[in-house]
Amino acid sequence: MVLSSILVSFVLYLALPGAMLPVTVRAEKVNVIAGKPAILHCLDSTDKKNPATLIWKYNNKLLLKIFQGNPFKGEKSEMWTLNNDESFSLELVKAETGLYTCEVDGKLETTYEVKVWKVIGSKSGYLLQGDTLKLNLSPFNMEDNRIEWFNPQKAKVTGKELRWKVQEDSIQITNLTIQEDHGMWECHVFPDQLKIPYNVKIIGFPNPLDEFNFAALNSSFNLSCPLNINLENQKDPEIPRVQSWKLVKNNIVVEEQNISNMNNSFPTKRIPRVHFEDAGKYQCHLRFNHRNLNKNINLIVMTVSAVPDELSSKENVTLCGHIKPAPPLAELCWVNVNESMSKPTCGSPISENKFCHIATTAGLWRCDLKVNNNVKISINYTLGKTTNEWTVESRFPLIEIASGAGATLLLLILAGICVPTCKHIKRKRQQAKRIAQIKQHLLAKRTCQCQRELANDYYHT
Ligand SMILES: *[C@@H]1O[C@H](CO)[C@@H](O)[C@H](O)[C@H]1NC(C)=O
Ligand SMILES: *[C@@H]1O[C@H](CO)[C@@H](O)[C@H](O)[C@H]1NC(C)=O
Ligand SMILES: *[C@@H]1O[C@H](CO)[C@@H](O)[C@H](O)[C@H]1NC(C)=O
Ligand SMILES: *[C@@H]1O[C@H](CO)[C@@H](O)[C@H](O)[C@H]1NC(C)=O
Ligand SMILES: *[C@@H]1O[C@H](CO)[C@@H](O)[C@H](O)[C@H]1NC(C)=O
Ligand SMILES: *[C@@H]1O[C@H](CO)[C@@H](O)[C@H](O)[C@H]1NC(C)=O
Ligand SMILES: *[C@@H]1O[C@H](CO)[C@@H](O)[C@H](O)[C@H]1NC(C)=O
Ligand SMILES: *[C@@H]1O[C@H](CO)[C@@H](O)[C@H](O)[C@H]1NC(C)=O
């Protein structure tokens, strides 16, 4: 039996005007939460009576009459069903506030004072992120009741929150958010200990409205503004239809689509190979019947460079991390993965959109882009060491001078001395260069890959 849904608060004795025999009749107060069923018993199941006539009334109107075992329906038959049990109980499927009575053989048997509680929203169905919603408790009696509101995270509303304004019998939620407002709210009513639920349904973006995404140069990237619910799921007629959506950058439409063309994969703009020109601020505009939903995606593109691309004894390598644009509080850090003891060197890329580090050791280097001390994207660079050159240079340090002023004269002098040796050296250097080129080609394939985080790829401003 669904007795648990009946919240009997107290029993009172009520004098019913017009009642024939008993002067006082047991009248139970029954609190019903709207939408939940309630069961009203007529006879005690121990009574074992077999009445000739049994009548259920609601506010003195006939609901049901049972005469010699045969039921006859009266009014409001959509509101109740008769349970097939010994107590001739009435199950209220759509209870209404009022007085319910059961008469047995002309004698008033039981009386119930039913009160139906509900929370009423100022708007129904799905709301859009940013809307305002007011929830009211009904009925509300200031003298008798005190109420508290609980958000979908089951936290009590204190009244000090910015967006939640509590009044005597209501709560107003402004600038609705997916994160805090979407879900089942509860109104707790005291002293009756009722918990009345209300499902707040919001369509919006689960990610921040100003989102930061990070991509490595030449990697592929999908620009998208996923919603918290799948709009293709047309089973729920309450879900409002998107009229159109578009992706805009600098007031230029990058991608536009009609809802009729929308697939179950939510609108996405795929960038197969990210360039620096792709960086910047994008806006997603989704048009619904009455309102738009908008959000920003800031795409930050990163790459690394090394000049020269290999270490040699004559030159250290300048490793640079480049980003565009540089978000506030961004930091680039270079760390030599092979030297676990070495400390990363970090710097702000804000002024030049890059941060460089002079590398003196070979091995695997990693450049981290950190925002608020969280690593957003990392790029590896394997720094190799030029072979062979060491021997060349140690014997002929003049080559370095050769590129400077007055080199021609010096070369002329030297030419006479060492033509045979130089031929040998030239061959060796060409060989070394070829090896270096092959190596570089191989390295390019396995370095500079992007390591994208998934859900945490953004930060809050
Ligand atoms: C509404 O909330 C969002 C964050 O969810 C915020 O960015 C926006 O400024 C707020 N709007 C108003 C009018 O308070
Ligand atoms: C990106 O692709 C371009 C064109 O193929 C190439 O020249 C460049 O070296 C690549 N950069 C990186 C960091 O992979
Ligand atoms: C981008 O979307 C395509 C489908 O359009 C998918 O195959 C691919 O895995 C997505 N890439 C990323 C990085 O999410
Ligand atoms: C969207 O629909 C409108 C009107 O039906 C049409 O003019 C427009 O070309 C459509 N756009 C796309 C991207 O299909
Ligand atoms: C659904 O997506 C596929 C592949 O992404 C595309 O070929 C097809 O045209 C799309 N359908 C609609 C209705 O847009
Ligand atoms: C490379 O850097 C180290 C440390 O800064 C310095 O001692 C060395 O002279 C540099 N080598 C060259 C060839 O510039
Ligand atoms: C550096 O470390 C990587 C992997 O962590 C390894 O493959 C590579 O051989 C190391 N290089 C040197 C010079 O130790
Ligand atoms: C970068 O190097 C680290 C250390 O060897 C490795 O764990 C990581 O997978 C590399 N990342 C990429 C994208 O290759």
Side-chain angles (χ1 to χ4, degrees):
M1 223 171 272
V2 204
L3 267 174
S4 58
S5 62
I6 308 179
L7 294 146
V8 179
S9 52
F10 54 88
V11 171
L12 56 80
Y13 287 86
L14 185 82
L16 274 180
M20 302 294 282
L21 266 172
V23 178
T24 55
V25 169
R26 232 172 63 129
E28 275 184 31
K29 257 200 171 175
V30 178
N31 286 313
V32 178
I33 292 163
K36 301 234 168 109
I39 291 175
L40 308 179
H41 299 282
C42 182
L43 301 171
D44 281 343
S45 48
T46 50
D47 285 355
K48 298 258 180 216
K49 272 191 256 173
N50 219 343
T53 318
L54 188 144
I55 292 171
W56 270 108
K57 282 184 181 168
Y58 165 66
N59 287 348
N60 254 335
K61 283 179 224 141
L62 185 77
L63 292 182
L64 163 76
K65 183 174 180 172
I66 299 166
F67 182 66
Q68 292 181 340
N70 299 313
F72 299 95
K73 278 189 179 180
E75 291 181 44
K76 291 189 177 286
S77 57
E78 75 289 344
M79 186 167 114
W80 54 266
T81 58
L82 179 70
N83 276 351
N84 188 18
D85 58 18
E86 287 171 350
S87 66
F88 294 93
S89 61
L90 205 59
E91 183 168 346
L92 300 180
V93 284
K94 280 186 195 160
E96 288 179 26
T97 296
L99 205 64
Y100 294 75
T101 52
C102 182
E103 293 169 24
V104 177
D105 294 333
K107 185 176 146 240
L108 195 56
E109 186 75 24
T110 36
T111 304
Y112 296 94
E113 214 187 309
V114 171
K115 207 180 211 179
V116 179
W117 297 82
K118 60 176 150 188
V119 169
I120 301 164
S122 58
K123 293 171 190 162
S124 62
Y126 279 82
L127 304 167
L128 295 187
Q129 182 168 12
D131 276 348
T132 296
L133 175 67
K134 192 171 182 183
L135 302 180
N136 264 82
L137 174 69
S138 164
F140 178 76
N141 187 335
M142 218 172 79
E143 277 103 60
D144 298 344
N145 301 129
R146 186 173 62 79
I147 61 175
E148 284 175 356
W149 296 91
F150 286 76
N151 72 6
Q153 290 77 43
K154 307 272 168 259
K156 190 166 121 185
V157 174
T158 63
K160 293 196 178 83
E161 295 87 357
L162 272 179
R163 295 183 303 103
W164 301 335
K165 292 187 186 70
V166 187
Q167 281 138 19
E168 258 165 14
D169 61 338
S170 67
I171 182 170
Q172 179 164 298
I173 311 164
T174 55
N175 197 11
L176 287 169
T177 70
I178 302 294
Q179 291 84 357
E180 290 180 327
D181 308 321
H182 181 76
M184 199 59 85
W185 286 72
E186 250 176 27
C187 179
H188 292 195
V189 183
F190 300 94
D192 307 75
Q193 305 282 347
L194 305 174
K195 292 181 179 175
I196 302 150
Y198 187 92
N199 195 7
V200 174
K201 293 180 282 187
I202 306 168
I203 293 184
F205 306 108
N207 294 343
L209 287 180
D210 216 13
E211 192 179 358
F212 285 77
N213 282 296
F214 302 83
L217 190 72
N218 290 354
S219 68
S220 74
F221 185 75
N222 292 339
L223 270 168
S224 67
C225 302
L227 293 170
N228 62 325
I229 57 164
N230 186 357
L231 292 171
E232 304 318 300
N233 189 2
Q234 299 296 353
K235 274 180 208 151
D236 190 342
E238 276 192 3
I239 296 179
R241 302 286 304 264
V242 177
Q243 306 293 312
S244 67
W245 73 272
K246 63 183 170 189
L247 195 63
V248 174
K249 190 189 181 194
N250 301 329
N251 291 326
I252 295 161
V253 175
V254 178
E255 190 95 343
E256 188 174 19
Q257 226 167 311
N258 287 351
I259 182 67
S260 51
N261 301 333
M262 228 158 91
N263 264 334
N264 51 357
S265 60
F266 196 75
T268 300
K269 162 79 177 163
R270 185 167 155 77
I271 306 177
R273 197 187 183 99
V274 174
H275 297 110
F276 270 120
E277 298 83 75
D278 296 319
K281 193 179 223 167
Y282 294 80
Q283 274 116 29
C284 281
H285 299 293
L286 280 147
R287 198 159 63 80
F288 289 83
N289 257 339
H290 304 296
R291 263 197 53 211
N292 293 350
L293 274 185
N294 303 310
K295 85 168 247 161
N296 295 328
I297 299 175
N298 302 277
L299 179 61
I300 288 144
V301 179
M302 178 180 174
T303 191
V304 295
S305 67
V307 178
D309 47 37
E310 296 210 324
L311 265 180
S312 65
S313 54
K314 73 166 159 55
E315 235 180 331
N316 291 327
V317 169
T318 305
L319 294 174
C320 292
H322 308 258
I323 60 169
K324 186 193 163 190
L329 301 176
E331 196 180 41
L332 287 172
C333 291
W334 278 105
V335 59
N336 189 335
V337 178
N338 293 83
E339 292 177 350
S340 52
M341 288 295 138
S342 75
K343 268 176 76 178
T345 50
C346 299
S348 163
I350 300 286
S351 56
E352 288 185 275
N353 277 34
K354 68 175 181 184
F355 170 71
C356 299
H357 171 65
I358 311 289
T360 56
T361 50
L364 180 64
W365 286 82
R366 193 183 71 228
C367 187
D368 296 328
L369 167 57
K370 293 182 183 174
V371 177
N372 271 342
N373 267 331
N374 297 317
V375 175
K376 297 299 178 184
I377 181 171
S378 298
I379 298 180
N380 287 343
Y381 185 84
T382 308
L383 184 56
K385 215 171 200 165
T386 311
T387 48
N388 288 356
E389 238 179 82
W390 173 252
T391 45
V392 176
E393 280 163 34
S394 64
R395 264 195 278 164
F396 294 98
L398 285 178
I399 286 170
E400 246 178 304
I401 301 164
S403 60
T408 325
L409 178 67
L410 199 61
L411 272 178
L412 283 174
I413 303 161
L414 285 170
I417 312 165
C418 64
V419 168
T421 334
C422 285
K423 268 190 181 159
H424 170 73
I425 297 301
K426 203 176 168 191
R427 228 184 14 253
K428 268 194 115 174
R429 283 186 65 197
Q430 273 171 346
Q431 198 183 350
K433 205 175 165 196
R434 260 203 315 280
I435 292 169
Q437 270 170 349
I438 293 164
K439 252 183 90 184
Q440 192 191 329
H441 180 75
L442 289 172
L443 287 172
K445 289 203 154 173
R446 66 184 154 100
T447 55
C448 296
Q449 287 160 35
C450 151
Q451 195 174 45
R452 192 175 304 130
E453 292 165 62
L454 292 173
N456 300 328
D457 253 357
Y458 54 81
Y459 78 101
H460 302 263
T461 39

